[in-house]
Amino acid sequence: MQNGAIFAFAGSGLDRAAELRVAPERLALLWQAPETRVLPIWRGRPLFAGDVLGWLAPDHPVLEGAPQESVFLGLEEGAARFALDLSHWRPEEPAATPISLFDAGEQPHPLLDAPMVFAEMRNRMAMMSAREAELAAMARALGEWHRSHGHCARCGAATLPSHGGWKRHCPACNAEHFPRTDPVVIMLITEGNSALLGRGPGWPEGVYSCLAGFVEPGETIEAAVRREVAEETGVPVGPVRYLASQPWPFPASLMLGCHGKATARALTLDPVEIEDACWVTREDMADIFAGVHPHIRAPRQGAIAAGLLRMWLADHI
Ligand SMILES: [Zn+2]
């Protein structure tokens, strides 16, 4: 199964060079190396230059005055890659905050020429290379973690970043805090020739996807699949099989793609969690992917749900 070809953020074998995180003097030297490049992130949106990431030299004036320290992402053919959060910057003409996942939310910067803009990466993930998607996912996830973990969860004191941005240390109680990843199950549920799709309250019209939900403490992946499907739709699920994963840095999820076989079809919807759910035949799914289904939009390219549905449609599950 070639997941990398169909899922964004599915991993590219990047050399994360974790050994350098404990060598601040070497990271400081790398920051000054001519081949080093920095990916700025503004309020969760990486810088893009058209369809590719907008890498800048470390001495670029846009990067001046950032209050956060840079995060070391790794090495690409020996050249260091860093990310820097510029969320403190207040544009004179702010772009509208995206009100849905489908909004562009593009923000230009006066010191950067077109086509460079800070942009919502979910809109571009299907166009990004596996390497760029991995780097952008790391940068976004770590940036959001630093922004939301400035204080110690144990004692409340202000914490300080260390280890190239992969740790935060509390000088008051000596606690160490690490970037978190939250496991989410996302499941292709099938019964005979049909797959179960649902839509959350307030989703854009026509958008349906595989059911998904957070894994709870003390729970296995398989149990989370069965519980979420039962809670949301009342459908009982028998065998569950893990298929593939996708980092989903919005803000810190790891999507665990599974296949579950339903043992009955009757739907009892939980109106708080889900607005609608339905069984979709392979024939209807082909129409959905072709963009000709009367009610359901084609799933977002690059997202693991689209990959799971496509694999099922091609009889690869
Ligand atoms: Zn503390």
PDB file of all heavy atoms in Angstrom, residues 202-241:
ATOM      1  N   GLY A 202     -22.795  21.844  11.241  1.00  0.00           N
ATOM      2  CA  GLY A 202     -22.173  23.076  10.753  1.00  0.00           C
ATOM      3  C   GLY A 202     -21.145  22.886   9.656  1.00  0.00           C
ATOM      4  O   GLY A 202     -20.526  23.856   9.214  1.00  0.00           O
ATOM      5  N   TRP A 203     -20.917  21.675   9.190  1.00  0.00           N
ATOM      6  CA  TRP A 203     -19.975  21.477   8.076  1.00  0.00           C
ATOM      7  C   TRP A 203     -20.541  22.136   6.820  1.00  0.00           C
ATOM      8  O   TRP A 203     -21.760  22.243   6.661  1.00  0.00           O
ATOM      9  CB  TRP A 203     -19.760  19.994   7.810  1.00  0.00           C
ATOM     10  CG  TRP A 203     -18.891  19.295   8.822  1.00  0.00           C
ATOM     11  CD1 TRP A 203     -18.527  19.763  10.057  1.00  0.00           C
ATOM     12  CD2 TRP A 203     -18.294  18.006   8.685  1.00  0.00           C
ATOM     13  NE1 TRP A 203     -17.741  18.840  10.686  1.00  0.00           N
ATOM     14  CE2 TRP A 203     -17.583  17.748   9.882  1.00  0.00           C
ATOM     15  CE3 TRP A 203     -18.300  17.042   7.688  1.00  0.00           C
ATOM     16  CZ2 TRP A 203     -16.872  16.572  10.087  1.00  0.00           C
ATOM     17  CZ3 TRP A 203     -17.601  15.864   7.897  1.00  0.00           C
ATOM     18  CH2 TRP A 203     -16.888  15.634   9.071  1.00  0.00           C
ATOM     19  N   PRO A 204     -19.645  22.540   5.899  1.00  0.00           N
ATOM     20  CA  PRO A 204     -20.143  23.117   4.641  1.00  0.00           C
ATOM     21  C   PRO A 204     -21.081  22.141   3.928  1.00  0.00           C
ATOM     22  O   PRO A 204     -20.936  20.922   4.056  1.00  0.00           O
ATOM     23  CB  PRO A 204     -18.867  23.337   3.831  1.00  0.00           C
ATOM     24  CG  PRO A 204     -17.778  23.430   4.846  1.00  0.00           C
ATOM     25  CD  PRO A 204     -18.185  22.545   5.982  1.00  0.00           C
ATOM     26  N   GLU A 205     -22.008  22.695   3.184  1.00  0.00           N
ATOM     27  CA  GLU A 205     -23.026  21.884   2.532  1.00  0.00           C
ATOM     28  C   GLU A 205     -22.399  20.806   1.642  1.00  0.00           C
ATOM     29  O   GLU A 205     -21.459  21.071   0.910  1.00  0.00           O
ATOM     30  CB  GLU A 205     -23.923  22.795   1.672  1.00  0.00           C
ATOM     31  CG  GLU A 205     -25.227  22.130   1.301  1.00  0.00           C
ATOM     32  CD  GLU A 205     -26.088  23.059   0.446  1.00  0.00           C
ATOM     33  OE1 GLU A 205     -25.889  24.287   0.511  1.00  0.00           O
ATOM     34  OE2 GLU A 205     -26.934  22.532  -0.281  1.00  0.00           O
ATOM     35  N   GLY A 206     -22.919  19.619   1.739  1.00  0.00           N
ATOM     36  CA  GLY A 206     -22.483  18.538   0.857  1.00  0.00           C
ATOM     37  C   GLY A 206     -21.224  17.826   1.308  1.00  0.00           C
ATOM     38  O   GLY A 206     -20.773  16.894   0.647  1.00  0.00           O
ATOM     39  N   VAL A 207     -20.615  18.271   2.422  1.00  0.00           N
ATOM     40  CA  VAL A 207     -19.374  17.628   2.889  1.00  0.00           C
ATOM     41  C   VAL A 207     -19.708  16.466   3.822  1.00  0.00           C
ATOM     42  O   VAL A 207     -20.370  16.649   4.844  1.00  0.00           O
ATOM     43  CB  VAL A 207     -18.458  18.639   3.605  1.00  0.00           C
ATOM     44  CG1 VAL A 207     -17.252  17.921   4.217  1.00  0.00           C
ATOM     45  CG2 VAL A 207     -18.001  19.710   2.634  1.00  0.00           C
ATOM     46  N   TYR A 208     -19.274  15.289   3.449  1.00  0.00           N
ATOM     47  CA  TYR A 208     -19.390  14.083   4.270  1.00  0.00           C
ATOM     48  C   TYR A 208     -17.999  13.475   4.367  1.00  0.00           C
ATOM     49  O   TYR A 208     -17.157  13.698   3.508  1.00  0.00           O
ATOM     50  CB  TYR A 208     -20.343  13.065   3.617  1.00  0.00           C
ATOM     51  CG  TYR A 208     -21.806  13.388   3.800  1.00  0.00           C
ATOM     52  CD1 TYR A 208     -22.389  14.452   3.115  1.00  0.00           C
ATOM     53  CD2 TYR A 208     -22.601  12.632   4.663  1.00  0.00           C
ATOM     54  CE1 TYR A 208     -23.735  14.756   3.288  1.00  0.00           C
ATOM     55  CE2 TYR A 208     -23.945  12.931   4.835  1.00  0.00           C
ATOM     56  CZ  TYR A 208     -24.506  13.990   4.150  1.00  0.00           C
ATOM     57  OH  TYR A 208     -25.832  14.292   4.328  1.00  0.00           O
ATOM     58  N   SER A 209     -17.779  12.672   5.405  1.00  0.00           N
ATOM     59  CA  SER A 209     -16.481  12.021   5.539  1.00  0.00           C
ATOM     60  C   SER A 209     -16.640  10.733   6.333  1.00  0.00           C
ATOM     61  O   SER A 209     -17.736  10.395   6.776  1.00  0.00           O
ATOM     62  CB  SER A 209     -15.500  12.966   6.226  1.00  0.00           C
ATOM     63  OG  SER A 209     -14.197  12.403   6.213  1.00  0.00           O
ATOM     64  N   CYS A 210     -15.523  10.046   6.508  1.00  0.00           N
ATOM     65  CA  CYS A 210     -15.514   8.899   7.413  1.00  0.00           C
ATOM     66  C   CYS A 210     -15.732   9.408   8.837  1.00  0.00           C
ATOM     67  O   CYS A 210     -15.331  10.516   9.179  1.00  0.00           O
ATOM     68  CB  CYS A 210     -14.165   8.188   7.340  1.00  0.00           C
ATOM     69  SG  CYS A 210     -13.816   7.428   5.751  1.00  0.00           S
ATOM     70  N   LEU A 211     -16.320   8.594   9.680  1.00  0.00           N
ATOM     71  CA  LEU A 211     -16.468   8.964  11.087  1.00  0.00           C
ATOM     72  C   LEU A 211     -15.088   8.980  11.741  1.00  0.00           C
ATOM     73  O   LEU A 211     -14.191   8.248  11.333  1.00  0.00           O
ATOM     74  CB  LEU A 211     -17.373   7.973  11.813  1.00  0.00           C
ATOM     75  CG  LEU A 211     -18.781   7.790  11.261  1.00  0.00           C
ATOM     76  CD1 LEU A 211     -19.561   6.820  12.146  1.00  0.00           C
ATOM     77  CD2 LEU A 211     -19.525   9.120  11.164  1.00  0.00           C
ATOM     78  N   ALA A 212     -14.954   9.824  12.766  1.00  0.00           N
ATOM     79  CA  ALA A 212     -13.670   9.954  13.448  1.00  0.00           C
ATOM     80  C   ALA A 212     -13.905  10.410  14.870  1.00  0.00           C
ATOM     81  O   ALA A 212     -14.959  10.981  15.175  1.00  0.00           O
ATOM     82  CB  ALA A 212     -12.772  10.952  12.720  1.00  0.00           C
ATOM     83  N   GLY A 213     -12.929  10.156  15.739  1.00  0.00           N
ATOM     84  CA  GLY A 213     -13.048  10.630  17.111  1.00  0.00           C
ATOM     85  C   GLY A 213     -11.768  10.377  17.888  1.00  0.00           C
ATOM     86  O   GLY A 213     -10.958   9.519  17.510  1.00  0.00           O
ATOM     87  N   PHE A 214     -11.583  11.125  18.970  1.00  0.00           N
ATOM     88  CA  PHE A 214     -10.375  10.992  19.780  1.00  0.00           C
ATOM     89  C   PHE A 214     -10.365   9.649  20.522  1.00  0.00           C
ATOM     90  O   PHE A 214     -11.399   9.195  21.023  1.00  0.00           O
ATOM     91  CB  PHE A 214     -10.283  12.119  20.810  1.00  0.00           C
ATOM     92  CG  PHE A 214      -9.898  13.431  20.202  1.00  0.00           C
ATOM     93  CD1 PHE A 214     -10.848  14.416  19.953  1.00  0.00           C
ATOM     94  CD2 PHE A 214      -8.569  13.681  19.865  1.00  0.00           C
ATOM     95  CE1 PHE A 214     -10.478  15.620  19.383  1.00  0.00           C
ATOM     96  CE2 PHE A 214      -8.200  14.889  19.296  1.00  0.00           C
ATOM     97  CZ  PHE A 214      -9.161  15.854  19.055  1.00  0.00           C
ATOM     98  N   VAL A 215      -9.182   9.049  20.579  1.00  0.00           N
ATOM     99  CA  VAL A 215      -8.980   7.875  21.428  1.00  0.00           C
ATOM    100  C   VAL A 215      -8.968   8.359  22.874  1.00  0.00           C
ATOM    101  O   VAL A 215      -8.310   9.348  23.199  1.00  0.00           O
ATOM    102  CB  VAL A 215      -7.644   7.180  21.092  1.00  0.00           C
ATOM    103  CG1 VAL A 215      -7.425   5.964  21.982  1.00  0.00           C
ATOM    104  CG2 VAL A 215      -7.609   6.774  19.620  1.00  0.00           C
ATOM    105  N   GLU A 216      -9.700   7.676  23.736  1.00  0.00           N
ATOM    106  CA  GLU A 216      -9.764   8.097  25.138  1.00  0.00           C
ATOM    107  C   GLU A 216      -8.666   7.410  25.946  1.00  0.00           C
ATOM    108  O   GLU A 216      -8.180   6.344  25.559  1.00  0.00           O
ATOM    109  CB  GLU A 216     -11.145   7.754  25.716  1.00  0.00           C
ATOM    110  CG  GLU A 216     -12.243   8.576  25.071  1.00  0.00           C
ATOM    111  CD  GLU A 216     -13.589   8.406  25.744  1.00  0.00           C
ATOM    112  OE1 GLU A 216     -13.753   7.452  26.528  1.00  0.00           O
ATOM    113  OE2 GLU A 216     -14.470   9.246  25.478  1.00  0.00           O
ATOM    114  N   PRO A 217      -8.283   8.030  27.074  1.00  0.00           N
ATOM    115  CA  PRO A 217      -7.272   7.387  27.926  1.00  0.00           C
ATOM    116  C   PRO A 217      -7.702   5.972  28.303  1.00  0.00           C
ATOM    117  O   PRO A 217      -8.875   5.728  28.613  1.00  0.00           O
ATOM    118  CB  PRO A 217      -7.224   8.292  29.162  1.00  0.00           C
ATOM    119  CG  PRO A 217      -7.662   9.635  28.660  1.00  0.00           C
ATOM    120  CD  PRO A 217      -8.680   9.350  27.593  1.00  0.00           C
ATOM    121  N   GLY A 218      -6.773   5.045  28.233  1.00  0.00           N
ATOM    122  CA  GLY A 218      -7.047   3.664  28.624  1.00  0.00           C
ATOM    123  C   GLY A 218      -7.742   2.842  27.568  1.00  0.00           C
ATOM    124  O   GLY A 218      -8.176   1.717  27.848  1.00  0.00           O
ATOM    125  N   GLU A 219      -7.838   3.370  26.349  1.00  0.00           N
ATOM    126  CA  GLU A 219      -8.613   2.699  25.307  1.00  0.00           C
ATOM    127  C   GLU A 219      -7.695   2.206  24.194  1.00  0.00           C
ATOM    128  O   GLU A 219      -6.723   2.885  23.850  1.00  0.00           O
ATOM    129  CB  GLU A 219      -9.606   3.719  24.727  1.00  0.00           C
ATOM    130  CG  GLU A 219     -10.728   3.148  23.927  1.00  0.00           C
ATOM    131  CD  GLU A 219     -11.754   4.218  23.569  1.00  0.00           C
ATOM    132  OE1 GLU A 219     -11.350   5.348  23.193  1.00  0.00           O
ATOM    133  OE2 GLU A 219     -12.947   3.940  23.662  1.00  0.00           O
ATOM    134  N   THR A 220      -8.021   1.058  23.600  1.00  0.00           N
ATOM    135  CA  THR A 220      -7.276   0.615  22.421  1.00  0.00           C
ATOM    136  C   THR A 220      -7.846   1.299  21.171  1.00  0.00           C
ATOM    137  O   THR A 220      -8.949   1.860  21.194  1.00  0.00           O
ATOM    138  CB  THR A 220      -7.391  -0.909  22.224  1.00  0.00           C
ATOM    139  OG1 THR A 220      -8.766  -1.219  21.964  1.00  0.00           O
ATOM    140  CG2 THR A 220      -6.908  -1.668  23.436  1.00  0.00           C
ATOM    141  N   ILE A 221      -7.088   1.229  20.089  1.00  0.00           N
ATOM    142  CA  ILE A 221      -7.561   1.777  18.811  1.00  0.00           C
ATOM    143  C   ILE A 221      -8.870   1.094  18.405  1.00  0.00           C
ATOM    144  O   ILE A 221      -9.845   1.749  18.013  1.00  0.00           O
ATOM    145  CB  ILE A 221      -6.476   1.575  17.726  1.00  0.00           C
ATOM    146  CG1 ILE A 221      -5.244   2.435  18.036  1.00  0.00           C
ATOM    147  CG2 ILE A 221      -7.025   1.881  16.341  1.00  0.00           C
ATOM    148  CD1 ILE A 221      -4.068   2.153  17.108  1.00  0.00           C
ATOM    149  N   GLU A 222      -8.880  -0.227  18.517  1.00  0.00           N
ATOM    150  CA  GLU A 222     -10.059  -0.982  18.071  1.00  0.00           C
ATOM    151  C   GLU A 222     -11.292  -0.608  18.897  1.00  0.00           C
ATOM    152  O   GLU A 222     -12.399  -0.442  18.354  1.00  0.00           O
ATOM    153  CB  GLU A 222      -9.791  -2.487  18.187  1.00  0.00           C
ATOM    154  CG  GLU A 222      -8.735  -3.018  17.229  1.00  0.00           C
ATOM    155  CD  GLU A 222      -7.305  -2.819  17.737  1.00  0.00           C
ATOM    156  OE1 GLU A 222      -7.111  -2.173  18.811  1.00  0.00           O
ATOM    157  OE2 GLU A 222      -6.373  -3.288  17.074  1.00  0.00           O
ATOM    158  N   ALA A 223     -11.096  -0.475  20.210  1.00  0.00           N
ATOM    159  CA  ALA A 223     -12.226  -0.114  21.075  1.00  0.00           C
ATOM    160  C   ALA A 223     -12.719   1.297  20.755  1.00  0.00           C
ATOM    161  O   ALA A 223     -13.929   1.564  20.781  1.00  0.00           O
ATOM    162  CB  ALA A 223     -11.807  -0.217  22.542  1.00  0.00           C
ATOM    163  N   ALA A 224     -11.795   2.203  20.449  1.00  0.00           N
ATOM    164  CA  ALA A 224     -12.190   3.578  20.120  1.00  0.00           C
ATOM    165  C   ALA A 224     -13.027   3.602  18.839  1.00  0.00           C
ATOM    166  O   ALA A 224     -14.016   4.341  18.741  1.00  0.00           O
ATOM    167  CB  ALA A 224     -10.947   4.457  19.970  1.00  0.00           C
ATOM    168  N   VAL A 225     -12.641   2.785  17.857  1.00  0.00           N
ATOM    169  CA  VAL A 225     -13.414   2.713  16.614  1.00  0.00           C
ATOM    170  C   VAL A 225     -14.845   2.267  16.921  1.00  0.00           C
ATOM    171  O   VAL A 225     -15.827   2.899  16.509  1.00  0.00           O
ATOM    172  CB  VAL A 225     -12.747   1.750  15.605  1.00  0.00           C
ATOM    173  CG1 VAL A 225     -13.688   1.431  14.444  1.00  0.00           C
ATOM    174  CG2 VAL A 225     -11.436   2.337  15.095  1.00  0.00           C
ATOM    175  N   ARG A 226     -14.958   1.191  17.679  1.00  0.00           N
ATOM    176  CA  ARG A 226     -16.301   0.643  17.946  1.00  0.00           C
ATOM    177  C   ARG A 226     -17.132   1.627  18.777  1.00  0.00           C
ATOM    178  O   ARG A 226     -18.321   1.832  18.520  1.00  0.00           O
ATOM    179  CB  ARG A 226     -16.174  -0.694  18.680  1.00  0.00           C
ATOM    180  CG  ARG A 226     -15.532  -1.775  17.829  1.00  0.00           C
ATOM    181  CD  ARG A 226     -15.692  -3.157  18.453  1.00  0.00           C
ATOM    182  NE  ARG A 226     -14.939  -4.130  17.660  1.00  0.00           N
ATOM    183  CZ  ARG A 226     -13.708  -4.546  17.969  1.00  0.00           C
ATOM    184  NH1 ARG A 226     -13.111  -4.107  19.061  1.00  0.00           N
ATOM    185  NH2 ARG A 226     -13.083  -5.401  17.194  1.00  0.00           N
ATOM    186  N   ARG A 227     -16.498   2.262  19.765  1.00  0.00           N
ATOM    187  CA  ARG A 227     -17.241   3.183  20.624  1.00  0.00           C
ATOM    188  C   ARG A 227     -17.714   4.412  19.840  1.00  0.00           C
ATOM    189  O   ARG A 227     -18.884   4.816  19.935  1.00  0.00           O
ATOM    190  CB  ARG A 227     -16.352   3.637  21.800  1.00  0.00           C
ATOM    191  CG  ARG A 227     -17.011   4.680  22.695  1.00  0.00           C
ATOM    192  CD  ARG A 227     -16.080   5.185  23.785  1.00  0.00           C
ATOM    193  NE  ARG A 227     -14.798   5.648  23.285  1.00  0.00           N
ATOM    194  CZ  ARG A 227     -14.600   6.796  22.632  1.00  0.00           C
ATOM    195  NH1 ARG A 227     -15.607   7.619  22.415  1.00  0.00           N
ATOM    196  NH2 ARG A 227     -13.398   7.130  22.195  1.00  0.00           N
ATOM    197  N   GLU A 228     -16.816   4.999  19.045  1.00  0.00           N
ATOM    198  CA  GLU A 228     -17.194   6.209  18.319  1.00  0.00           C
ATOM    199  C   GLU A 228     -18.331   5.942  17.332  1.00  0.00           C
ATOM    200  O   GLU A 228     -19.261   6.739  17.215  1.00  0.00           O
ATOM    201  CB  GLU A 228     -15.980   6.789  17.575  1.00  0.00           C
ATOM    202  CG  GLU A 228     -15.013   7.551  18.458  1.00  0.00           C
ATOM    203  CD  GLU A 228     -15.563   8.906  18.915  1.00  0.00           C
ATOM    204  OE1 GLU A 228     -16.485   9.428  18.269  1.00  0.00           O
ATOM    205  OE2 GLU A 228     -15.075   9.420  19.932  1.00  0.00           O
ATOM    206  N   VAL A 229     -18.230   4.824  16.605  1.00  0.00           N
ATOM    207  CA  VAL A 229     -19.268   4.521  15.618  1.00  0.00           C
ATOM    208  C   VAL A 229     -20.595   4.260  16.323  1.00  0.00           C
ATOM    209  O   VAL A 229     -21.656   4.731  15.889  1.00  0.00           O
ATOM    210  CB  VAL A 229     -18.849   3.321  14.731  1.00  0.00           C
ATOM    211  CG1 VAL A 229     -19.969   2.943  13.776  1.00  0.00           C
ATOM    212  CG2 VAL A 229     -17.586   3.657  13.953  1.00  0.00           C
ATOM    213  N   ALA A 230     -20.539   3.532  17.448  1.00  0.00           N
ATOM    214  CA  ALA A 230     -21.772   3.252  18.186  1.00  0.00           C
ATOM    215  C   ALA A 230     -22.370   4.536  18.748  1.00  0.00           C
ATOM    216  O   ALA A 230     -23.583   4.757  18.673  1.00  0.00           O
ATOM    217  CB  ALA A 230     -21.484   2.259  19.317  1.00  0.00           C
ATOM    218  N   GLU A 231     -21.533   5.415  19.310  1.00  0.00           N
ATOM    219  CA  GLU A 231     -22.040   6.665  19.890  1.00  0.00           C
ATOM    220  C   GLU A 231     -22.684   7.553  18.831  1.00  0.00           C
ATOM    221  O   GLU A 231     -23.726   8.155  19.057  1.00  0.00           O
ATOM    222  CB  GLU A 231     -20.894   7.450  20.549  1.00  0.00           C
ATOM    223  CG  GLU A 231     -20.461   6.921  21.907  1.00  0.00           C
ATOM    224  CD  GLU A 231     -19.259   7.664  22.475  1.00  0.00           C
ATOM    225  OE1 GLU A 231     -18.789   8.652  21.856  1.00  0.00           O
ATOM    226  OE2 GLU A 231     -18.782   7.240  23.530  1.00  0.00           O
ATOM    227  N   GLU A 232     -22.031   7.665  17.687  1.00  0.00           N
ATOM    228  CA  GLU A 232     -22.486   8.622  16.691  1.00  0.00           C
ATOM    229  C   GLU A 232     -23.641   8.097  15.844  1.00  0.00           C
ATOM    230  O   GLU A 232     -24.505   8.865  15.428  1.00  0.00           O
ATOM    231  CB  GLU A 232     -21.311   9.043  15.799  1.00  0.00           C
ATOM    232  CG  GLU A 232     -20.252   9.809  16.580  1.00  0.00           C
ATOM    233  CD  GLU A 232     -19.167  10.398  15.698  1.00  0.00           C
ATOM    234  OE1 GLU A 232     -19.132  10.083  14.495  1.00  0.00           O
ATOM    235  OE2 GLU A 232     -18.364  11.180  16.229  1.00  0.00           O
ATOM    236  N   THR A 233     -23.635   6.804  15.552  1.00  0.00           N
ATOM    237  CA  THR A 233     -24.630   6.284  14.603  1.00  0.00           C
ATOM    238  C   THR A 233     -25.409   5.075  15.109  1.00  0.00           C
ATOM    239  O   THR A 233     -26.336   4.635  14.441  1.00  0.00           O
ATOM    240  CB  THR A 233     -23.953   5.866  13.278  1.00  0.00           C
ATOM    241  OG1 THR A 233     -23.076   4.761  13.551  1.00  0.00           O
ATOM    242  CG2 THR A 233     -23.164   7.011  12.666  1.00  0.00           C
ATOM    243  N   GLY A 234     -25.003   4.493  16.232  1.00  0.00           N
ATOM    244  CA  GLY A 234     -25.679   3.300  16.734  1.00  0.00           C
ATOM    245  C   GLY A 234     -25.332   2.034  15.979  1.00  0.00           C
ATOM    246  O   GLY A 234     -25.911   0.980  16.242  1.00  0.00           O
ATOM    247  N   VAL A 235     -24.384   2.123  15.040  1.00  0.00           N
ATOM    248  CA  VAL A 235     -24.042   0.947  14.234  1.00  0.00           C
ATOM    249  C   VAL A 235     -23.043   0.080  15.000  1.00  0.00           C
ATOM    250  O   VAL A 235     -21.990   0.578  15.421  1.00  0.00           O
ATOM    251  CB  VAL A 235     -23.445   1.378  12.877  1.00  0.00           C
ATOM    252  CG1 VAL A 235     -22.834   0.179  12.134  1.00  0.00           C
ATOM    253  CG2 VAL A 235     -24.514   2.041  12.022  1.00  0.00           C
ATOM    254  N   PRO A 236     -23.334  -1.227  15.188  1.00  0.00           N
ATOM    255  CA  PRO A 236     -22.359  -2.116  15.847  1.00  0.00           C
ATOM    256  C   PRO A 236     -21.268  -2.540  14.859  1.00  0.00           C
ATOM    257  O   PRO A 236     -21.554  -2.825  13.695  1.00  0.00           O
ATOM    258  CB  PRO A 236     -23.214  -3.316  16.270  1.00  0.00           C
ATOM    259  CG  PRO A 236     -24.371  -3.314  15.310  1.00  0.00           C
ATOM    260  CD  PRO A 236     -24.590  -1.904  14.831  1.00  0.00           C
ATOM    261  N   VAL A 237     -20.034  -2.545  15.339  1.00  0.00           N
ATOM    262  CA  VAL A 237     -18.891  -2.879  14.481  1.00  0.00           C
ATOM    263  C   VAL A 237     -18.224  -4.136  15.003  1.00  0.00           C
ATOM    264  O   VAL A 237     -17.960  -4.249  16.203  1.00  0.00           O
ATOM    265  CB  VAL A 237     -17.884  -1.706  14.437  1.00  0.00           C
ATOM    266  CG1 VAL A 237     -16.623  -2.104  13.665  1.00  0.00           C
ATOM    267  CG2 VAL A 237     -18.527  -0.475  13.804  1.00  0.00           C
ATOM    268  N   GLY A 238     -17.952  -5.083  14.105  1.00  0.00           N
ATOM    269  CA  GLY A 238     -17.262  -6.324  14.458  1.00  0.00           C
ATOM    270  C   GLY A 238     -15.762  -6.170  14.320  1.00  0.00           C
ATOM    271  O   GLY A 238     -15.141  -5.364  15.026  1.00  0.00           O
ATOM    272  N   PRO A 239     -15.147  -6.903  13.376  1.00  0.00           N
ATOM    273  CA  PRO A 239     -13.686  -6.841  13.245  1.00  0.00           C
ATOM    274  C   PRO A 239     -13.206  -5.446  12.843  1.00  0.00           C
ATOM    275  O   PRO A 239     -13.823  -4.769  12.021  1.00  0.00           O
ATOM    276  CB  PRO A 239     -13.388  -7.847  12.120  1.00  0.00           C
ATOM    277  CG  PRO A 239     -14.599  -8.704  12.033  1.00  0.00           C
ATOM    278  CD  PRO A 239     -15.754  -7.872  12.471  1.00  0.00           C
ATOM    279  N   VAL A 240     -12.091  -5.015  13.447  1.00  0.00           N
ATOM    280  CA  VAL A 240     -11.462  -3.714  13.141  1.00  0.00           C
ATOM    281  C   VAL A 240     -10.005  -3.979  12.798  1.00  0.00           C
ATOM    282  O   VAL A 240      -9.327  -4.748  13.477  1.00  0.00           O
ATOM    283  CB  VAL A 240     -11.548  -2.759  14.352  1.00  0.00           C
ATOM    284  CG1 VAL A 240     -10.718  -1.492  14.099  1.00  0.00           C
ATOM    285  CG2 VAL A 240     -12.989  -2.392  14.654  1.00  0.00           C
ATOM    286  N   ARG A 241      -9.543  -3.320  11.747  1.00  0.00           N
ATOM    287  CA  ARG A 241      -8.156  -3.510  11.315  1.00  0.00           C
ATOM    288  C   ARG A 241      -7.525  -2.141  11.089  1.00  0.00           C
ATOM    289  O   ARG A 241      -8.125  -1.284  10.437  1.00  0.00           O
ATOM    290  CB  ARG A 241      -8.166  -4.296  10.001  1.00  0.00           C
ATOM    291  CG  ARG A 241      -6.840  -4.809   9.540  1.00  0.00           C
ATOM    292  CD  ARG A 241      -7.069  -5.898   8.481  1.00  0.00           C
ATOM    293  NE  ARG A 241      -7.855  -5.410   7.350  1.00  0.00           N
ATOM    294  CZ  ARG A 241      -7.321  -5.071   6.168  1.00  0.00           C
ATOM    295  NH1 ARG A 241      -6.014  -5.148   5.978  1.00  0.00           N
ATOM    296  NH2 ARG A 241      -8.085  -4.666   5.181  1.00  0.00           N
TER     297      ARG A 241
END
